[in-house]
Every structure is written in C-alpha cells, then in structure tokens.
Amino acid sequence: MITYKGFSTVNRTNKFTITDLELVKQDLLNAFNTRKGSRLMQPQEGCIVWDRLFDPITETSKNEIMYDLTQICQRDPRISVTQLDLTEKDNSL
C-alpha cells in the first residue's frame, strides 16, 4: 500500500508533515480554494466557484460548477467520486 506524504502549515504545532487521507483532503481543499487561472503557468488549475459567487443561480451555472468540481476531482488519481451534490439554499449554493 502506498503512503502519500505531504506538507501543510495549517493547524500544525511542530510537525508539518501530513499523510494519506489527510493529505488528499488538504490537496482537494487547496484546489477548491484556488481561483481558476490564478496559478502561474497553470491556467487550467483552480476552481470557477470564485468567479461565480455573485452570478444569478441558474441551471447553466449549476451545471458549470458541477462539471468543474468533477474535473478537479478526476485530475487527482487518489480520488474516486461516487456522488457530488450541489444544494441551493437562500439564493446561494
């Protein structure tokens, strides 16, 4: 079994190393929290959610966001998406 090792400064006191599931979660959150096109020389990296924050919620915008989130998950071979839900509440996603 492969052990994934990585680095994180979030909520760390003395050790900066994270492994396995914790690392996969952190990498996925990093991808979701990066605005699409903001990474130098990697315009395909990041998430479109930040560009859609104040757009009207339509079926088209929901589909675009779902597609983008699915693409982010599929880029990482450690992740297998079985279900992805997008919920609308009080005019926000």
Side-chain angles (χ1 to χ4, degrees):
M1 180 163 197
I2 297 174
T3 299
Y4 298 102
K5 293 182 180 178
F7 174 81
S8 176
T9 57
V10 179
N11 297 326
R12 301 282 158 222
T13 55
N14 55 5
K15 291 176 68 178
F16 295 105
T17 305
I18 56 176
T19 57
D20 295 331
L21 183 58
E22 190 177 353
L23 176 63
V24 174
K25 287 180 190 178
Q26 187 63 52
D27 289 346
L28 190 59
L29 285 174
N30 287 342
F32 289 159
N33 287 319
T34 301
R35 183 184 294 266
K36 188 169 233 46
S38 67
R39 293 201 52 197
L40 186 63
M41 304 296 286
Q42 295 179 336
Q44 73 283 359
E45 293 294 320
C47 187
I48 66 167
V49 169
W50 305 106
D51 297 327
R52 305 290 192 271
L53 282 178
F54 300 106
D55 288 354
I57 300 170
T58 63
E59 285 303 312
T60 303
S61 65
K62 287 182 196 178
N63 291 336
E64 288 175 351
I65 291 169
M66 289 291 285
Y67 177 77
D68 190 55
L69 296 177
T70 303
Q71 291 297 105
I72 290 170
C73 293
Q74 288 177 347
R75 274 187 239 139
D76 194 332
R78 302 169 296 180
I79 298 172
S80 175
V81 178
T82 56
Q83 183 176 346
L84 188 61
D85 295 320
L86 189 63
T87 305
E88 183 177 349
K89 181 178 177 184
D90 299 329
N91 296 322
S92 63
L93 297 175

